[in-house]
Amino acid sequence: MKILRCPAQLQLLEETLRKSLPTTLPVLGTVMTVARGNPAAHEVLVDSWPNFRIVLTRLCPEEHRDHRDHYINQLAVFYRDKEALWALLGSTKVVDRARAFQLMGMQEGLDEAVRDVAGARGLQVK
């Protein structure tokens, strides 16, 4: 996954996400915050640029203080196809399953995909 840091890329992503409201709302807020100075130390990741299939926002890894705190370890996701979501959930580089986390999104099928991937790996979902 590619971390977007360039203000022009973040602005273009913001404009693109606005076109798909309300399903993009969980990631749009963080994209806007990062584009405007990033006071909360978040990062915006995409699978490819500019033709992304999935966007993930999360706290920068170096800011994680408690690996058991799923409120600090919040991830927000917007995806254009389920294959990209499955690839994201299966990646240990992007989603660190050694720590508790929350995955937020507003798209149908997200809960089912999370439960399927977790079940296949013997992980617990609450």
Side-chain angles (χ1 to χ4, degrees):
M1 303 262 314
K2 175 182 175 51
I3 299 174
L4 294 186
R5 292 188 176 99
C6 172
Q9 290 175 333
L10 291 165
Q11 180 66 33
L12 182 59
L13 179 60
E14 183 180 329
E15 292 169 10
T16 302
L17 293 172
R18 283 181 187 274
K19 294 175 186 173
S20 296
L21 282 169
T23 57
T24 59
L25 194 57
V27 295
L28 179 59
T30 303
V31 170
M32 292 172 65
T33 300
V34 170
R36 289 161 180 76
N38 199 15
H42 280 87
E43 57 188 15
V44 177
L45 297 93
V46 293
D47 60 334
S48 60
W49 186 257
N51 299 319
F52 64 89
R53 297 181 311 148
I54 192 163
V55 178
L56 176 83
T57 64
R58 66 182 183 189
L59 188 65
C60 293
E62 54 273 5
E63 295 295 321
H64 292 281
R65 292 173 188 87
D66 184 354
H67 294 295
R68 297 165 292 153
D69 188 346
H70 61 271
Y71 290 107
I72 289 176
N73 302 321
Q74 290 185 10
L75 311 171
V77 66
F78 169 73
Y79 56 94
R80 291 182 170 165
D81 74 43
K82 285 192 177 186
E83 289 178 21
L85 176 63
W86 281 86
L88 172 81
L89 294 173
S91 171
T92 58
K93 293 179 183 175
V94 179
V95 179
D96 183 359
R97 292 183 294 272
R99 63 179 71 164
F101 66 90
Q102 283 189 48
L103 184 62
M104 301 179 300
M106 295 182 65
Q107 293 170 272
E108 285 188 38
L110 177 60
D111 184 54
E112 179 184 322
V114 169
R115 289 187 186 282
D116 289 348
V117 170
R121 290 182 168 70
L123 300 172
Q124 181 182 9
V125 177
K126 292 182 182 179

